[in-house]
Amino acid sequence: MGKRVALVLAGCGVFDGSEIHEASAALVHLSRGGAEVKIFAPNIEQRDVVNHLKGSPSEEKRNVLVESARLARGNIQDLAELKASEFDAVIFPGGFGVAKNLCSWAVDGKNCTVNEHVNSTLQAFHSAKKPIGLCCISPVLAAKVFPGCEVTVGQDKNIDGRFPDAETASAITELGCKHICKNVNESHVDKANKIVTTCAFMCKAPLHEIFDGIGTMVQEVLKLA
Protein backbone atom coordinates (compact mmCIF):
# COMPACT_ATOMS: atom_id res chain seq x y z
CA MET A 1 0.00 0.00 0.00
CA GLY A 2 1.10 3.57 -0.65
CA LYS A 3 1.89 5.90 2.20
CA ARG A 4 -0.91 8.13 3.45
CA VAL A 5 0.22 11.76 3.37
CA ALA A 6 -1.54 14.93 4.50
CA LEU A 7 -0.69 18.09 2.55
CA VAL A 8 -1.37 21.39 4.36
CA LEU A 9 -2.02 24.52 2.31
CA ALA A 10 -2.09 28.20 3.26
CA GLY A 11 -4.20 29.74 0.49
CA CYS A 12 -3.58 30.11 -3.25
CA GLY A 13 -0.82 32.34 -4.61
CA VAL A 14 2.76 33.06 -3.62
CA PHE A 15 2.24 36.50 -2.04
CA ASP A 16 -0.66 35.69 0.28
CA GLY A 17 -1.12 31.90 0.17
CA SER A 18 0.63 28.69 -0.83
CA GLU A 19 3.19 28.86 -3.64
CA ILE A 20 1.36 27.12 -6.48
CA HIS A 21 4.41 25.54 -8.16
CA GLU A 22 5.61 24.14 -4.83
CA ALA A 23 2.22 22.66 -3.99
CA SER A 24 1.96 21.17 -7.47
CA ALA A 25 5.51 19.78 -7.35
CA ALA A 26 4.82 18.12 -4.00
CA LEU A 27 1.64 16.55 -5.37
CA VAL A 28 3.39 15.29 -8.52
CA HIS A 29 6.22 13.70 -6.56
CA LEU A 30 3.79 12.19 -4.04
CA SER A 31 1.78 10.74 -6.92
CA ARG A 32 4.93 9.31 -8.48
CA GLY A 33 5.83 7.83 -5.10
CA GLY A 34 2.49 6.03 -4.92
CA ALA A 35 1.23 8.04 -1.96
CA GLU A 36 -2.42 8.51 -1.05
CA VAL A 37 -2.83 12.24 -0.43
CA LYS A 38 -5.47 14.25 1.38
CA ILE A 39 -5.33 18.04 1.44
CA PHE A 40 -6.11 20.34 4.36
CA ALA A 41 -6.08 24.06 5.19
CA PRO A 42 -7.18 26.11 8.19
CA ASN A 43 -10.65 27.64 7.98
CA ILE A 44 -9.54 31.18 8.78
CA GLU A 45 -9.45 34.59 7.12
CA GLN A 46 -6.24 35.46 5.27
CA ARG A 47 -4.02 38.02 6.96
CA ASP A 48 -4.14 40.03 3.75
CA VAL A 49 -4.95 39.72 0.06
CA VAL A 50 -2.43 40.69 -2.61
CA ASN A 51 -3.17 41.62 -6.21
CA HIS A 52 -0.65 39.31 -7.88
CA LEU A 53 -0.71 41.29 -11.13
CA LYS A 54 0.27 44.56 -9.46
CA GLY A 55 2.05 43.15 -6.42
CA SER A 56 0.04 45.47 -4.21
CA PRO A 57 -2.45 44.93 -1.36
CA SER A 58 -6.14 44.53 -2.14
CA GLU A 59 -9.00 45.61 0.12
CA GLU A 60 -10.93 42.36 -0.32
CA LYS A 61 -11.22 39.55 2.24
CA ARG A 62 -10.52 35.90 1.47
CA ASN A 63 -10.68 32.65 3.40
CA VAL A 64 -7.62 30.35 3.54
CA LEU A 65 -9.64 27.12 3.20
CA VAL A 66 -11.74 28.46 0.32
CA GLU A 67 -8.69 29.74 -1.56
CA SER A 68 -6.73 26.52 -0.93
CA ALA A 69 -9.64 24.59 -2.45
CA ARG A 70 -8.58 26.06 -5.82
CA LEU A 71 -5.30 24.13 -5.61
CA ALA A 72 -7.02 21.03 -4.26
CA ARG A 73 -9.57 20.99 -7.11
CA GLY A 74 -12.22 21.32 -4.40
CA ASN A 75 -11.18 18.12 -2.61
CA ILE A 76 -10.05 19.58 0.71
CA GLN A 77 -10.85 19.47 4.43
CA ASP A 78 -10.61 21.86 7.36
CA LEU A 79 -7.24 21.43 9.08
CA ALA A 80 -9.11 21.08 12.38
CA GLU A 81 -10.33 17.69 11.10
CA LEU A 82 -6.85 16.28 10.43
CA LYS A 83 -6.03 13.26 12.61
CA ALA A 84 -2.37 12.28 12.63
CA SER A 85 -3.38 8.69 13.42
CA GLU A 86 -4.86 8.41 9.91
CA PHE A 87 -1.65 9.40 8.10
CA ASP A 88 1.97 8.32 7.75
CA ALA A 89 3.39 11.81 7.11
CA VAL A 90 2.54 15.48 6.64
CA ILE A 91 3.95 18.00 4.14
CA PHE A 92 3.75 21.80 4.09
CA PRO A 93 4.54 23.64 0.81
CA GLY A 94 5.79 27.22 1.14
CA GLY A 95 4.61 30.64 0.01
CA PHE A 96 4.03 33.85 1.96
CA GLY A 97 0.74 32.38 3.17
CA VAL A 98 2.75 30.15 5.50
CA ALA A 99 4.34 33.22 7.08
CA LYS A 100 1.06 35.18 7.09
CA ASN A 101 -1.72 32.65 7.65
CA LEU A 102 -0.16 29.58 9.25
CA CYS A 103 1.94 31.74 11.55
CA SER A 104 2.84 35.41 11.97
CA TRP A 105 6.48 35.17 10.82
CA ALA A 106 5.90 37.79 8.08
CA VAL A 107 5.13 40.37 10.77
CA ASP A 108 6.86 39.11 13.91
CA GLY A 109 9.83 37.09 12.64
CA LYS A 110 11.26 34.72 15.24
CA ASN A 111 8.79 36.11 17.82
CA CYS A 112 5.88 34.81 15.76
CA THR A 113 2.92 32.80 16.94
CA VAL A 114 1.78 29.63 15.15
CA ASN A 115 -1.87 28.94 14.29
CA GLU A 116 -3.31 26.58 16.89
CA HIS A 117 -4.32 23.88 14.40
CA VAL A 118 -0.96 24.08 12.60
CA ASN A 119 0.81 23.77 15.94
CA SER A 120 -1.31 20.82 17.09
CA THR A 121 -0.82 19.08 13.72
CA LEU A 122 2.95 19.43 13.91
CA GLN A 123 3.01 18.29 17.53
CA ALA A 124 0.81 15.28 16.79
CA PHE A 125 2.99 14.00 13.93
CA HIS A 126 6.17 14.66 15.89
CA SER A 127 4.86 12.87 18.98
CA ALA A 128 3.87 9.89 16.83
CA LYS A 129 7.37 9.88 15.30
CA LYS A 130 5.92 10.41 11.83
CA PRO A 131 7.86 12.47 9.27
CA ILE A 132 7.20 16.14 8.56
CA GLY A 133 8.20 17.66 5.20
CA LEU A 134 8.56 21.42 4.77
CA CYS A 135 9.80 23.58 1.91
CA CYS A 136 10.61 27.23 1.19
CA ILE A 137 9.66 29.38 4.23
CA SER A 138 7.68 26.62 5.98
CA PRO A 139 10.73 25.22 7.84
CA VAL A 140 10.33 28.21 10.19
CA LEU A 141 7.24 26.43 11.54
CA ALA A 142 9.43 23.56 12.72
CA ALA A 143 12.05 25.97 14.04
CA LYS A 144 9.40 27.71 16.14
CA VAL A 145 7.60 24.59 17.36
CA PHE A 146 10.60 22.26 17.87
CA PRO A 147 13.56 24.10 19.44
CA GLY A 148 16.81 22.33 18.70
CA CYS A 149 15.69 20.79 15.41
CA GLU A 150 17.70 20.97 12.18
CA VAL A 151 16.28 22.61 9.04
CA THR A 152 17.38 24.29 5.84
CA VAL A 153 16.06 27.33 4.00
CA GLY A 154 19.00 27.19 1.59
CA GLN A 155 22.09 29.26 2.41
CA ASP A 156 22.92 31.62 5.27
CA LYS A 157 24.59 34.10 2.88
CA ASN A 158 23.19 35.69 -0.27
CA ILE A 159 25.54 33.87 -2.61
CA ASP A 160 25.57 35.45 -6.09
CA GLY A 161 22.26 37.14 -5.28
CA ARG A 162 20.48 33.77 -5.36
CA PHE A 163 19.43 33.75 -1.70
CA PRO A 164 17.88 37.18 -0.98
CA ASP A 165 16.23 35.94 2.22
CA ALA A 166 19.38 34.43 3.70
CA GLU A 167 18.79 36.27 7.00
CA THR A 168 16.03 33.75 7.70
CA ALA A 169 18.79 31.25 8.51
CA SER A 170 20.08 33.56 11.25
CA ALA A 171 16.61 33.91 12.76
CA ILE A 172 16.29 30.12 12.81
CA THR A 173 19.61 29.90 14.64
CA GLU A 174 18.43 32.49 17.16
CA LEU A 175 15.47 30.21 17.92
CA GLY A 176 17.95 27.60 19.12
CA CYS A 177 17.80 25.46 15.99
CA LYS A 178 20.57 24.39 13.64
CA HIS A 179 20.45 25.70 10.09
CA ILE A 180 22.05 23.42 7.51
CA CYS A 181 23.19 25.05 4.27
CA LYS A 182 21.94 23.21 1.20
CA ASN A 183 21.63 23.84 -2.52
CA VAL A 184 18.22 24.22 -4.14
CA ASN A 185 18.23 20.67 -5.54
CA GLU A 186 18.98 19.15 -2.13
CA SER A 187 17.08 18.55 1.08
CA HIS A 188 18.13 18.03 4.68
CA VAL A 189 16.94 15.21 6.91
CA ASP A 190 16.85 15.75 10.67
CA LYS A 191 16.78 12.06 11.53
CA ALA A 192 16.21 12.58 15.25
CA ASN A 193 13.04 14.60 14.67
CA LYS A 194 12.05 13.10 11.29
CA ILE A 195 11.89 16.58 9.76
CA VAL A 196 12.81 16.95 6.06
CA THR A 197 13.33 20.42 4.58
CA THR A 198 14.30 21.98 1.24
CA CYS A 199 14.65 25.64 0.23
CA ALA A 200 12.58 25.72 -2.99
CA PHE A 201 11.80 29.37 -3.93
CA MET A 202 13.96 30.72 -1.11
CA CYS A 203 16.54 30.35 -3.88
CA LYS A 204 16.35 32.20 -7.21
CA ALA A 205 16.74 29.17 -9.43
CA PRO A 206 15.22 27.64 -12.56
CA LEU A 207 11.86 26.00 -11.91
CA HIS A 208 13.13 22.50 -12.73
CA GLU A 209 15.79 22.76 -10.00
CA ILE A 210 13.16 23.78 -7.46
CA PHE A 211 10.97 20.90 -8.68
CA ASP A 212 13.87 18.47 -8.24
CA GLY A 213 14.66 19.75 -4.75
CA ILE A 214 11.07 19.26 -3.66
CA GLY A 215 11.33 15.77 -5.14
CA THR A 216 14.24 14.92 -2.83
CA MET A 217 12.20 16.18 0.14
CA VAL A 218 9.18 14.07 -0.80
CA GLN A 219 11.34 10.99 -1.40
CA GLU A 220 12.99 11.32 2.01
CA VAL A 221 9.61 11.82 3.72
CA LEU A 222 8.26 8.66 2.08
CA LYS A 223 11.39 6.72 3.11
CA LEU A 224 10.87 7.75 6.73
CA ALA A 225 7.13 7.07 6.70
Side-chain angles (χ1 to χ4, degrees), residues 9-12 40-46 61-78:
L9 299 179
C12 181
F40 298 83
N43 187 9
I44 57 174
E45 188 175 293
Q46 290 185 187
K61 303 291 184 183
R62 296 195 183 188
N63 176 280
V64 174
L65 179 59
V66 172
E67 291 302 298
S68 297
R70 294 174 179 271
L71 283 170
R73 297 172 60 87
N75 189 7
I76 194 168
Q77 294 173 259
D78 187 336

Side-chain angles (χ1 to χ4, degrees), residues 24-201:
S24 179
L27 287 167
V28 169
H29 287 296
L30 285 166
S31 176
R32 183 171 286 141
E36 176 188 341
V37 182
K38 290 191 177 179
I39 305 175
F40 298 83
N43 187 9
I44 57 174
E45 188 175 293
Q46 290 185 187
R47 177 176 289 274
D48 62 17
V49 177
V50 175
N51 180 322
H52 280 58
L53 179 62
K54 298 179 178 178
S56 58
S58 171
E59 294 302 316
E60 62 189 293
K61 303 291 184 183
R62 296 195 183 188
N63 176 280
V64 174
L65 179 59
V66 172
E67 291 302 298
S68 297
R70 294 174 179 271
L71 283 170
R73 297 172 60 87
N75 189 7
I76 194 168
Q77 294 173 259
D78 187 336
L79 183 60
E81 299 173 7
L82 195 163
K83 296 180 176 63
S85 60
E86 297 178 355
F87 295 91
D88 299 303
V90 64
I91 288 178
F92 290 76
F96 279 104
V98 172
K100 292 178 175 182
N101 304 324
L102 303 191
C103 70
S104 63
W105 187 277
V107 176
D108 303 317
K110 68 180 186 294
N111 298 316
C112 72
T113 56
V114 178
N115 171 274
E116 61 174 318
H117 295 303
V118 173
N119 183 71
S120 61
T121 295
L122 289 167
Q123 295 283 9
F125 278 86
H126 188 259
S127 296
K129 295 181 168 52
K130 294 180 177 181
I132 299 167
L134 308 119
C135 65
C136 194
I137 191 63
S138 64
V140 302
L141 296 172
K144 187 66 181 182
V145 175
F146 307 118
C149 72
E150 297 178 356
V151 299
T152 188
V153 289
Q155 299 290 328
D156 55 10
K157 295 181 177 62
N158 188 10
I159 301 169
D160 298 327
R162 297 178 77 223
F163 294 89
D165 301 304
E167 69 276 2
T168 304
S170 298
I172 286 169
T173 302
E174 289 173 19
L175 283 170
C177 298
K178 186 174 183 180
H179 180 265
I180 310 297
C181 290
K182 290 284 183 179
N183 292 322
V184 67
N185 60 347
E186 300 176 314
S187 56
H188 176 70
V189 182
D190 177 346
K191 293 181 180 178
N193 291 293
K194 289 194 172 183
I195 295 171
V196 187
T197 51
T198 189
C199 71
F201 277 101

